Amino acid sequence: MSETVPDVRVERIVVALDASPHSVAALEAAAELAALMEAEVEGLFVEDSGLLCLCGLPFSQEIDVCTTAVRPLEAADMERQLRLMATTIERTMEQVAGRAAVRWSFRVRRGAVVEELLAAAQDAALMSVGRAGRVRRRGMGSTARSLIERSGRPVLLSGERGGSSAAAGRLQEPLTVLYTGTPAAGRALDMALRLRAARSMPLRVVVWAGGDASPDVEALEEAARGLVAAAAGDEAGPVSLVRVAPSADPAEALRDVRGGTLVAPHEQAALVADDERLTLLVP
Amino acid sequence: MASVSSLPPEALCRRCTLDHVDFTTTDDLEDALEFIGQERPIAAIELAVGIERQGYNIFALGPSGTGKHTVVRHFVEQRAATDPTPDDWCYVNDFDTPSAPRALRLPQGLGRQLKTDMERLVEELRSGLSSAFESEEYTTRRRVLEEEFQGRQQESLSELQERAKERGVAMLTTPTGLAFAPLKEGEVVSPEEFQKLPEDEQKRIKGEVESLQEELRKVLLQMPRWKREFNSRLRELNHDVSALVVNDLMDDLLDKYKELPGVVDYLTAVQRSVADHLDDFLESDGQKAGEAAATTGLPLPEAFQHSPALRRYQVNVLVDSGDAEGAPVIHESNPSYLNLVGRVEQMSMMGALITDFMLIKPGVLHRANGGYLILDALKVLSSPYAWEGLKRALQFRQVRIESPVQMMSLTSTVSLEPEPIPLDVKVILMGDRRLYYMLAEADPDFNELFKIAADFDDEFVRDDETTRQYARLIAAIVSREELLPLDRSAVCRVVEHGARLAGDSERVTARMRSVVDLLEESDHWARKEGAELMSAEHVQHAIDAQIYRSDRVRSRLQEQMLRETVLIDTDGARVGQINGLSVLSLGTFSFGRPSRITATVHMGEDEVVDIEREVELSGPLHSKGVLILSGFLRSRYAQEQPLSLGASLVFEQSYGGVDGDSASSAELYALLSAIGQVPIAQSFAVTGSVNQRGEVQAIGGVNEKIEGYFDLCAARGLTGEQGVLIPQANVKHLMLRQDVVDAVAAGRFAVYPIASIDEGIEVLTGVPAGELDTEGRYPEGTVNRKVADRLAEMAERSRELGMQAKARHTRGGSASGTGADDDADAALGSACGEPGRSA
């Protein structure tokens, strides 16, 4: 499937693909980020072994979401459908990656979805996933949640909402970083600074001292300033600081700073679970 | 010698002196006059404009150039100024039936007001609705709704998922739906493991899965209902948000137009339509149009480039009387069907023709509604369907805009059917008399629709009052056309020429166009000379130039006589030969020409052969004249004996045909001369018709005839013997040229007024005619005696020879009533340079 020779030195962004609009947004986002970071995009479609198991059970049936019709499940049908999905996904990937002019590869694995993704994340620089799967739901899907909790890699969350997948997966200005002073927060800010350097754009640092580690806000601000100053390139774009009172609701504060792309430490995943914006969670 | 004296020079042309008018040049005259005379048509027009009932339309009939248009316009405009200004008419969209636009009647000036108000309304609705729907409040309320709906869906699915998990079952997403699978340690149980499970356990799991499937179905079945509920609540929200904006704007308008129920109805319909089409107001400018153009790659018409959907709220002001004062008076020079009733235009959009109520264009009937419409009858009749369309509008008193194909039901293509507009218009048709009488006879609707005929005269009586007005009218023309002023002599000359054009010294022509032409041409000659005033010489110059321009044929004919190609004697005396006079008309120019008429007699049976008639070169009037003169012969000379005479009459060298009876007296003189063998002096020319009693009757074109003969004599040299015999009744028509008058004054030419054949024959032969004595005989030596003797002799001889029964000529005719004025205009021209003439 791959059209490039694997190169360990090249950073890889792994995209979890399942043909849902969310996953297409994730692919768009991954492609854009890959172009910025000169990384390679690897698409991964996991054929859920659970489904194939199910097909073998004597009472296996599926219910059509649109018509509520009940159909028996056949292993052969399932195989065919999964192949069809893989083909469709690969075609989409070819288009998206072609447009972004990034190197890409596509793999199909069979197994438990989360486990396969975690395995793939081991040697990836970043994971890109849709917020939820093919069935629409509020908040974050279980797969995304597991990845954030267990992968130890930065996870890019994309969600299609109201607009097209392409729009949902686009890096919006300004970059908005939630800085809480934790090491993860430091890495998040560092990542945001790198992105800012790669593509000149304004940076907004939301400083919140209400997390587990709670130094005073001034110190946090000072630290954030220090980190920003240390990153070279004033010409890369203006930097603004937004202070959030420790007593304030940080989720609300984040919603108040509208627009842009969010970068947050992964321990604050719950804060951004319901956010519609493209979100990068950094461990 | 002749018992009739020739006319004195002053009788030959009635001079105009204008002694009763005090002026030196036309600048001294009050020039406010537009027309004179025409009391009859004026009364008709005043009546017609005064009667506000159906069918009182006017047909103004009369020859062209008689000032029909001026008079009609004058009186109609006078009336229109005091009439109320008509209402405005607009077409607006009918929101229920867009193919039948609604007509709205509004008081003067409110049409454009409504148009502006509607434009402003749409603008304000756009901005008002956009800001309402973009507001934080609306966005939040909408999001709450959406989340509520999505939340319901997702929560019910999540709940189900949780319940399944509790029962050791997972909800899996298949490529095409959802499925439930039993779990063991977080993994789907494989078929092998499942087979190893005890049967009861297998049954239990199966039951669980089936019951979960049923629950899922229930959840899924709820979803469309929730979606509907969401949509309806969203609509309600939209309605609530829009109502605030719409009602506020509409209330202002409804209040403004509350006196006009039609407009209130329309505005209410607009209000409903706006609520149903909120999306149209929320689209960015030209968005839809842009999309359409992008899909096809074709450019859109300009009118559709900006928010095409909002066109339906525009107002098409068809008739705008905002700036008008009084009723409209419109003269349409191109009364085609579509120009009369209006049209629905179409425009090309992406290769197809489309239309809407904004493309309705008014016709002249719309613009003249409530006022007056002046049309040229001939143009209306010659323009396809225009007459039918006009009649229909007048009959039904409404203007219905239909294309001719629609009118004839030849098409069923979808098109607009605009609501007809009530019509209240007075139509004035202009045309010549023939057209009027033709329509009156041939079209039964015509008399119903055009009840008033304004019959324009082509001349009026020449008296002190009319000549004074004539002078003022000339002054008015001079001032209007910016011509040089006329001095007294010039005005007199123009009046005299007006009388000459009327062919009557006691009348002047009403064809003012000829007068205007003459004034313009005189002005040209005067300016060429550098004169500051027009004088009689300039006018005369213009008249002479007019004649010179048209008299090529006349001079060619005269040349033929002078070179004796055409034989006309102007001296000496001949038996049975006389100079008759005829008039030739070529276009607007008429001239007289002498013709030789000869008569021969022989023994026969009461038969006068008209050779012209035998060869079908004569018209019926000429034949009638010949039959009348044989009637005269019989009544005078054949009371006691049969008329044993055969005679033949001919217009010598006439190749083009002849009509009219004005040569009948000349023919009779020739016949009498031939019977009585009395020579006729060839220095005379004769015109006049005769009746069976021998009275000479009036003829037309007397001036042209006299001048025609005078010109020939003058070219050969006036002898003093030459002259023309005209009917006494024509003396009042004499308006002869100055050179003729001068020659008569000098005794070198004469004009004799003749009342009877006896008077004429005396002048022509120099022999007394003779009257019956008590014994019933004519005195010896008189013409009548000679004729009677000769006829008696022929009768006697005929009896002797026993030739009563047989005649050499078998054709003849019977006499009928008395002669009327002849038709001086019959022109049966031929290609051989011998134009038709009337004698």
Side-chain angles (χ1 to χ4, degrees):
Chain A
M1 288 283 167
S2 170
E3 64 175 27
T4 55
V5 180
D7 181 351
V8 286
R9 285 171 304 166
V10 173
E11 285 191 301
R12 276 194 306 139
I13 297 176
V14 175
V15 195
L17 294 169
D18 64 355
S20 69
H22 288 296
S23 78
V24 178
L27 173 60
E28 296 274 358
E32 187 173 2
L33 217 56
L36 276 182
M37 295 163 62
E38 292 177 4
E40 177 195 329
V41 182
E42 182 186 305
L44 179 61
F45 173 51
V46 181
E47 293 176 350
D48 191 350
S49 54
L51 281 178
L52 291 162
C53 269
L54 175 62
C55 293
L57 294 174
F59 52 83
S60 65
Q61 282 181 323
E62 69 169 344
I63 298 178
D64 191 300
V65 181
C66 301
T67 64
T68 73
V70 179
R71 284 189 296 262
L73 278 173
E74 296 291 340
D77 283 349
M78 183 59 72
E79 294 271 3
R80 196 163 51 243
Q81 283 167 5
L82 289 172
R83 269 203 305 280
L84 189 67
M85 273 172 87
T87 317
T88 313
I89 292 167
E90 187 175 11
R91 198 175 302 135
T92 310
M93 186 157 187
E94 187 177 357
Q95 283 170 6
V96 173
R99 213 163 38 231
V102 290
R103 285 184 298 165
W104 65 282
S105 59
F106 179 65
R107 282 193 295 151
V108 180
R109 300 294 295 266
R110 180 168 294 183
V113 178
V114 176
E115 300 312 318
E116 288 298 328
L117 287 175
L118 284 171
Q122 292 313 306
D123 54 351
L126 193 142
M127 289 295 290
S128 178
V129 291
R131 275 178 193 281
R134 282 188 290 117
V135 175
R136 300 287 169 82
R137 61 174 66 236
R138 183 141 56 167
M140 212 183 286
S142 57
T143 311
R145 194 170 293 124
S146 303
L147 275 178
I148 294 163
E149 284 165 5
R150 296 165 58 193
S151 69
R153 298 281 162 197
V155 177
L156 187 60
L157 287 172
S158 315
E160 174 260 8
R161 189 156 204 165
S164 66
S165 307
R170 198 165 293 149
L171 215 53
Q172 302 284 341
E173 292 185 8
L175 272 179
T176 305
V177 190
L178 177 65
Y179 184 67
T180 54
T182 61
R187 285 191 289 275
L189 181 56
D190 181 55
M191 186 137 211
L193 285 166
R194 274 165 59 202
L195 284 174
R196 166 174 165 264
R199 191 171 86 183
S200 305
M201 60 176 128
L203 180 67
R204 198 160 50 180
V205 185
V206 178
V207 182
W208 178 54
D212 296 335
S214 43
D216 59 302
V217 182
E218 279 79 13
L220 270 183
E221 264 191 34
E222 204 48 50
R225 267 188 232 284
L227 285 169
V228 172
D234 287 343
E235 70 281 359
V239 179
S240 58
L241 261 69
V242 179
R243 186 194 293 184
V244 180
S247 57
D249 176 6
E252 203 168 292
L254 276 179
R255 271 203 296 278
D256 284 349
V257 285
R258 286 158 174 270
T261 299
L262 283 181
V263 185
H266 82 302
E267 67 265 15
Q268 301 297 345
L271 277 184
V272 298
D274 284 348
D275 212 297
E276 294 171 13
R277 284 172 281 191
L278 188 64
T279 307
L280 181 59
L281 287 165
V282 183
Chain B
M1 270 309 291
S3 59
V4 177
S5 349
S6 65
L7 291 168
E10 55 275 16
L12 301 183
C13 180
R14 185 173 156 204
R15 291 285 162 218
C16 171
T17 55
L18 289 173
D19 289 337
H20 58 293
V21 188
D22 177 30
F23 76 106
T24 313
T25 72
T26 46
D27 286 345
D28 305 332
L29 291 165
E30 192 195 339
D31 60 4
L33 209 60
E34 280 187 74
F35 51 85
I36 48 176
Q38 308 293 13
E39 292 79 9
R40 192 192 316 274
I42 288 171
I45 294 166
E46 281 178 333
L47 175 75
V49 297
I51 297 186
E52 304 271 342
R53 293 191 181 279
Q54 192 177 6
Y56 282 87
N57 297 302
I58 305 171
F59 193 108
L61 61 149
S64 63
T66 46
K68 290 194 296 290
H69 197 263
T70 315
V71 172
V72 165
R73 249 204 125 89
H74 176 86
F75 283 94
V76 163
E77 275 173 0
Q78 204 173 40
R79 168 79 189 195
T82 62
D83 282 347
T85 309
D87 289 338
D88 287 353
W89 280 99
C90 302
Y91 270 115
V92 292
N93 188 36
D94 186 313
F95 297 98
D96 297 327
T97 333
S99 66
R102 198 193 286 194
L104 275 188
R105 181 185 205 140
L106 295 112
Q108 182 193 8
L110 281 190
R112 60 170 86 151
Q113 182 77 58
L114 180 65
K115 182 184 169 72
T116 322
D117 283 343
M118 284 304 293
E119 278 166 3
R120 198 166 297 151
L121 174 75
V122 167
E123 269 318 300
E124 284 173 1
L125 279 174
R126 282 175 60 144
S127 61
L129 288 174
S130 311
S131 52
F133 281 95
E134 278 161 17
S135 67
E136 186 69 39
E137 293 74 26
Y138 173 77
T139 321
T140 312
R141 283 175 70 182
R142 188 185 166 121
R143 181 181 288 174
V144 167
L145 260 185
E146 280 171 356
E147 291 196 348
E148 189 186 323
F149 164 68
Q150 284 180 356
R152 235 171 172 182
Q153 272 189 357
Q154 288 162 0
E155 265 159 31
S156 48
L157 279 179
S158 302
E159 265 172 36
L160 188 62
Q161 203 166 14
E162 287 307 315
R163 276 208 301 281
K165 213 174 196 173
E166 281 165 18
R167 296 192 230 168
V169 177
M171 188 164 85
L172 299 180
T173 310
T174 67
T176 53
L178 293 169
F180 291 98
L183 285 181
K184 189 184 170 194
E185 294 161 8
E187 297 284 333
V188 175
V189 176
S190 69
E192 297 77 26
E193 280 174 301
F194 187 78
Q195 290 302 332
K196 285 177 197 159
L197 289 173
E199 199 168 316
D200 286 355
E201 183 65 4
Q202 285 185 9
K203 258 190 190 157
R204 188 193 63 81
I205 291 172
K206 197 179 167 199
E208 294 281 9
V209 166
E210 276 168 2
S211 99
L212 282 167
Q213 277 175 349
E214 197 44 45
E215 281 179 53
L216 176 62
R217 271 184 55 135
K218 278 183 191 154
V219 170
L220 291 177
L221 280 172
Q222 296 271 30
M223 288 192 181
R225 202 157 54 85
W226 290 340
K227 178 74 182 164
R228 266 204 314 281
E229 202 178 308
F230 166 72
N231 284 342
S232 118
R233 286 177 59 188
L234 186 62
R235 256 200 309 278
E236 263 170 49
L237 171 66
N238 289 348
H239 185 262
D240 291 350
V241 171
S242 68
L244 200 66
V245 180
V246 177
N247 293 355
D248 179 47
L249 289 169
M250 292 302 299
D251 285 350
D252 286 353
L253 274 187
L254 284 167
D255 186 55
K256 182 169 177 182
Y257 293 99
K258 62 172 181 268
E259 307 293 329
L260 303 165
V263 180
V264 169
D265 281 356
Y266 168 65
L267 291 174
T268 316
V270 167
Q271 195 164 2
R272 276 200 308 273
S273 164
V274 170
D276 293 343
H277 298 95
L278 288 175
D279 285 352
D280 293 339
F281 289 90
L282 300 177
E283 273 162 5
S284 58
D285 205 6
Q287 184 178 315
K288 254 193 189 169
E291 281 169 14
T295 20
T296 57
L298 289 170
L300 286 170
E302 199 183 346
F304 274 76
Q305 278 176 0
H306 302 290
S307 21
L310 299 181
R311 262 174 82 88
R312 69 170 88 93
Y313 303 109
Q314 291 183 6
V315 173
N316 181 358
V317 184
L318 203 68
V319 181
D320 180 4
S321 10
D323 301 325
E325 281 172 27
V329 177
I330 293 177
H331 178 213
E332 174 59 50
S333 56
N334 177 21
S336 65
Y337 174 78
L338 292 179
N339 281 355
L340 283 175
V341 304
R343 68 188 81 202
V344 178
E345 293 185 339
Q346 294 174 322
M347 57 184 165
S348 152
M349 182 150 103
M350 294 179 242
L353 288 177
I354 58 150
T355 185
D356 69 2
F357 71 99
M358 287 303 287
L359 295 177
I360 300 173
K361 296 288 146 75
V364 73
L365 282 170
H366 293 107
R367 290 192 285 123
N369 202 358
Y372 304 87
L373 176 59
I374 304 173
L375 300 170
D376 184 288
L378 188 62
K379 284 183 188 151
V380 175
L381 288 167
S382 54
S383 182
Y385 308 111
W387 178 239
E388 281 306 311
L390 178 65
K391 281 200 304 185
R392 216 152 54 100
L394 292 176
Q395 261 163 356
F396 295 98
R397 307 185 81 172
Q398 61 176 26
V399 205
R400 178 186 293 274
I401 301 180
E402 285 178 321
S403 71
V405 258
Q406 272 177 306
M407 189 180 76
M408 291 183 291
S409 308
L410 289 182
T411 177
S412 46
T413 314
V414 179
S415 184
L416 291 190
E417 283 178 26
E419 186 184 349
I421 286 180
L423 179 68
D424 171 26
V425 68
K426 211 158 272 287
V427 175
I428 298 108
L429 285 183
M430 305 269 184
D432 61 25
R433 294 185 184 125
R434 205 168 40 163
L435 200 58
Y436 173 80
Y437 293 118
M438 211 168 73
L439 280 171
E441 190 171 320
D443 189 339
D445 301 329
F446 176 71
N447 296 317
E448 288 297 312
L449 295 174
F450 291 87
K451 291 186 179 169
I452 301 289
D455 195 349
F456 281 75
D457 221 333
D458 35 15
E459 59 187 34
F460 35 78
V461 175
R462 176 183 171 191
D463 57 17
D464 282 358
E465 184 48 35
T466 49
T467 46
R468 180 205 308 277
Q469 288 182 347
Y470 221 78
R472 280 178 60 198
L473 188 57
I474 291 170
I477 295 167
V478 164
S479 124
R480 190 181 70 214
E481 306 290 328
E482 295 175 352
L483 305 174
L484 289 178
L486 282 78
D487 69 10
R488 213 179 167 80
S489 68
V491 176
C492 292
R493 189 70 201 93
V494 175
V495 174
E496 285 165 12
H497 186 67
R500 171 62 194 255
L501 287 176
D504 193 330
S505 65
E506 294 168 6
R507 298 278 185 278
V508 269
T509 184
R511 299 194 185 203
M512 294 315 291
R513 191 172 304 152
S514 321
V515 176
V516 174
D517 291 349
L518 178 65
L519 289 173
E520 285 173 348
E521 285 164 33
S522 307
D523 175 80
H524 167 78
W525 295 115
R527 282 182 202 273
K528 203 168 178 187
E529 247 178 43
E532 285 176 1
L533 277 177
M534 273 193 255
S535 70
E537 285 70 43
H538 300 127
V539 178
Q540 189 57 48
H541 192 157
I543 296 170
D544 292 344
Q546 280 179 352
I547 294 172
Y548 177 72
R549 287 201 299 275
S550 1
D551 85 340
R552 183 187 63 84
V553 175
R554 187 197 66 87
S555 54
R556 184 64 53 84
L557 286 174
Q558 182 170 319
E559 209 175 274
Q560 287 180 347
M561 292 175 210
L562 293 174
R563 295 169 69 195
E564 299 193 342
T565 312
V566 173
L567 299 175
I568 303 286
D569 289 341
T570 50
D571 54 14
R574 299 286 289 270
V575 170
Q577 173 179 318
I578 194 164
N579 294 323
L581 290 168
S582 53
V583 172
L584 277 75
S585 288
L586 295 169
T588 54
F589 179 64
S590 304
F591 61 91
R593 88 164 263 211
S595 303
R596 173 179 288 179
I597 299 170
T598 58
T600 57
V601 293
H602 51 84
M603 228 153 53
E605 193 185 343
D606 186 8
E607 189 181 37
V608 177
V609 174
D610 173 11
I611 291 181
E612 308 301 323
R613 182 178 157 215
E614 295 298 308
V615 297
E616 294 178 349
L617 273 176
S618 83
L621 294 179
H622 182 254
S623 305
K624 178 184 170 186
V626 173
L627 294 174
I628 287 172
L629 65 88
S630 42
F632 166 78
L633 281 182
R634 274 193 294 273
S635 78
R636 177 171 279 195
Y637 304 110
Q639 291 295 329
E640 292 170 8
Q641 62 191 8
L643 196 59
S644 305
L645 169 81
S648 66
L649 281 169
V650 66
F651 262 70
E652 304 287 358
Q653 293 182 295
S654 157
Y655 308 106
V658 63
D659 198 11
D661 65 353
S662 75
S664 59
S665 66
E667 287 163 335
L668 184 53
Y669 294 136
L671 206 53
L672 292 176
S673 157
I675 299 168
Q677 293 294 304
V678 191
I680 287 175
Q682 297 298 304
S683 53
F684 291 113
V686 176
T687 183
S689 72
V690 69
N691 63 19
Q692 294 199 98
R693 303 152 65 91
E695 291 162 341
V696 175
Q697 305 166 135
I699 44 82
V702 66
N703 293 306
E704 286 79 4
K705 286 173 176 170
I706 296 172
E707 285 165 5
Y709 187 63
F710 174 83
D711 287 340
L712 177 64
C713 296
R716 286 184 176 165
L718 293 172
T719 61
E721 299 294 317
Q722 292 144 336
V724 179
L725 278 65
I726 61 164
Q728 171 95 58
N730 279 119
V731 173
K732 58 182 176 289
H733 298 137
L734 291 177
M735 281 302 293
L736 288 168
R737 268 185 354 229
Q738 191 56 39
D739 53 347
V740 183
V741 178
D742 291 346
V744 170
R748 297 196 295 145
F749 197 74
V751 177
Y752 294 91
I754 304 298
S756 69
I757 287 297
D758 288 342
E759 282 179 18
I761 200 77
E762 284 182 11
V763 175
L764 291 168
T765 58
V767 177
E771 282 179 25
L772 283 177
D773 58 19
T774 47
E775 290 168 27
R777 291 170 67 86
Y778 290 102
E780 200 67 44
T782 61
V783 177
N784 281 331
R785 178 60 178 267
K786 288 181 184 186
V787 172
D789 285 355
R790 176 82 192 279
L791 288 174
E793 189 185 308
M794 285 168 100
E796 180 61 25
R797 186 95 180 105
S798 158
R799 196 164 47 245
E800 283 172 11
L801 293 173
M803 290 172 62
Q804 286 134 337
K806 290 274 177 187
R808 264 178 292 185
H809 300 277
T810 54
R811 280 153 288 182
S814 62
S816 58
T818 53
D821 195 359
D822 66 350
D823 177 8
D825 296 330
L828 311 166
S830 74
C832 62
E834 169 71 354
R837 58 190 164 178
S838 60

